Every structure is written in C-alpha cells, then in structure tokens.
Amino acid sequence: MRRSILALLATALIVFNGCGGVVQSMTVYESDPSLAKLQNLKTLPQRNSIGFEWEKITDSKVRGINVYRSVDGEEMHIATISNAYATHFVDTQVKPGQSYSYTFKTLRFGKEAESGTQIKVRALSPLASVTFLQAYKVGEGTVKLLWRPHDNESINAYIIERSVNGGEWRYLAQVNGRIMVEYIDTFVRPGREYHYRIIAKSYDDTTSRPSQPTQIRL
C-alpha cells in the first residue's frame, strides 16, 4: 500500500508550501458551479504548520486551487495553487493551539467552484514549559541558573530571559543542547532583584511556554 506523503512529512519534519507553485492574490473570482470539489481532504497539524493532502483531481477543467483560511469568522485568501496536479499544501503561518477553518476551491481561468471543500483543524498545543528552574548566588556579582532538561527530545536549545527589579522581560542568552542545563550570569549588580525564566526551543524553531520564574536579590 502506498504510504501517505503526510506520514512522510511528519517523520522527516519537512515543511513546504504546495507542489506546483503557490501565490497570494487579491483577485476576485467568479463562481463556476460545474467545477469539481477536492476529494478526501486529510490534515496533519503540527505546532507551527498544518499540512493538507487530497486525492488527485480528475476534472480536466480544473487548473488550480484557491485556499482560504478563517480565524474567528474572518476569512482571507492565503494561497493559489497554480497546478491542478498538486495534491499537497502546507500552511506555515499558524500559531500553536489555534483553531482554523479552511476552504479549498478549485479554479479555472478566473473562475472558482461555487462551494469549496471545507475543513476545521487545530494546530498542536505549544510545547510544555521547563518544569524546574532555580537561581543561586555563587560568587560576587555572579548568578548561576540550573534547570531540569526538557522531556521532549526535539528540544535543542533554551532561551533565557531576565527581568531586573520587576521590569520587562528581555532576552539574555541562548544555551544550545537539550541536556545543557546551566547558565552563569555575570552581568548583575548588588542591590538589585533579578527574575529569570526559560523558554525551550525545538529543531524546527517551535518554542515552549515560559517556565515559572525564579528570583534572586543580590
């Protein structure tokens, strides 16, 4: 049995936008009720992308496909797949945990199907946060951070953010490697309170929720 291309996408973590050319357009299309719909539309949601697969279009009149995405009732045209032989599309402009509604309409020379194939799908939830983080004063003007390695093996880095005296969170550093769980901050001063938090980052640049902050006063 032919293995689903979507399954291969999941295994290889390949992200792409359509097979055969994808363009965005402000064109207004007339309706053509004679155009066929896509058949057996399947989805593969990821955290930062959603993949689609459908059966080969057999209607010889079809020249491509318009893709519409709706969030909170607001629909917009996101792509035109300009080759009728294409059977895959990936939307890379999604947010983890967000629900979307998609409509795929076949098209031909400025006209599109009167009603399209509709499907609702939700991107996977954000990665869980790092579950333990602690700050220690280890020397004069030196703070050491230790945290527990993230359970997800796709994690390959940690982003460290810092807040000084209750101010806004700012990027401090990135530590590479899932099992590298230490950072030493030497840019600190006596009399100040420092808060730290960790954001885990995966190979495909998906980020987790921030960890619970840890604080220390020097």
Side-chain angles (χ1 to χ4, degrees):
M1 179 181 293
R2 183 179 68 90
R3 189 178 181 186
S4 168
I5 296 298
L6 283 181
L8 294 175
L9 282 173
T11 302
L13 294 176
I14 298 173
V15 176
F16 61 95
N17 267 332
C19 300
V22 176
V23 296
Q24 293 181 322
S25 170
M26 299 299 291
T27 303
V28 177
Y29 294 88
E30 297 180 24
S31 295
D32 184 348
S34 70
L35 291 174
K37 291 185 178 182
L38 301 188
Q39 299 297 318
N40 295 326
L41 185 64
K42 301 175 183 177
T43 65
L44 177 67
Q46 302 292 295
R47 290 186 174 87
N48 58 0
S49 63
I50 299 175
F52 299 87
E53 179 182 35
W54 55 90
E55 290 185 357
K56 177 184 175 181
I57 299 171
T58 57
D59 185 348
S60 61
K61 299 191 300 294
V62 172
R63 292 292 181 268
I65 302 164
N66 277 333
V67 184
Y68 298 86
R69 180 181 61 215
S70 178
V71 183
D72 298 327
E74 183 177 347
E75 185 177 75
M76 66 177 296
H77 175 269
I78 61 170
T80 294
I81 302 169
S82 57
N83 192 317
Y85 294 105
T87 55
H88 297 85
F89 174 75
V90 177
D91 182 7
T92 59
Q93 303 300 310
V94 302
K95 297 179 180 179
Q98 176 71 56
S99 293
Y100 300 91
S101 179
Y102 292 86
T103 302
F104 289 73
K105 293 185 177 182
T106 54
L107 63 92
R108 174 180 184 268
F109 302 136
K111 296 183 178 182
E112 65 179 9
E114 189 172 47
S115 61
T117 302
Q118 297 180 322
I119 193 165
K120 293 183 178 180
V121 60
R122 179 174 179 162
L124 297 184
S125 298
L127 290 164
S129 59
V130 171
T131 57
F132 170 81
L133 169 65
Q134 188 65 53
Y136 304 90
K137 180 180 177 180
V138 293
E140 197 64 34
T142 305
V143 172
K144 182 174 182 176
L145 300 179
L146 292 174
W147 59 93
R148 182 173 291 120
H150 201 284
D151 291 336
N152 192 311
E153 293 187 357
S154 71
I155 297 300
N156 72 334
Y158 299 96
I159 298 169
I160 302 171
E161 294 184 336
R162 187 180 73 175
S163 168
V164 182
N165 292 333
E168 65 180 275
W169 290 103
R170 295 182 181 275
Y171 172 88
L172 179 62
Q174 177 171 305
V175 176
N176 294 322
R178 185 177 73 88
I179 59 175
M180 182 58 189
V181 291
E182 174 186 276
Y183 178 77
I184 298 174
D185 184 8
T186 58
F187 296 97
V188 294
R189 296 180 183 178
R192 294 187 176 186
E193 185 174 81
Y194 294 90
H195 291 73
Y196 299 88
R197 67 183 185 182
I198 302 287
I199 298 172
K201 182 174 142 182
S202 68
Y203 288 99
D204 63 353
D205 290 332
T206 300
T207 54
S208 73
R209 296 184 177 95
S211 67
Q212 287 295 319
T214 184
Q215 68 184 69
I216 188 168
R217 177 175 287 277
L218 301 182

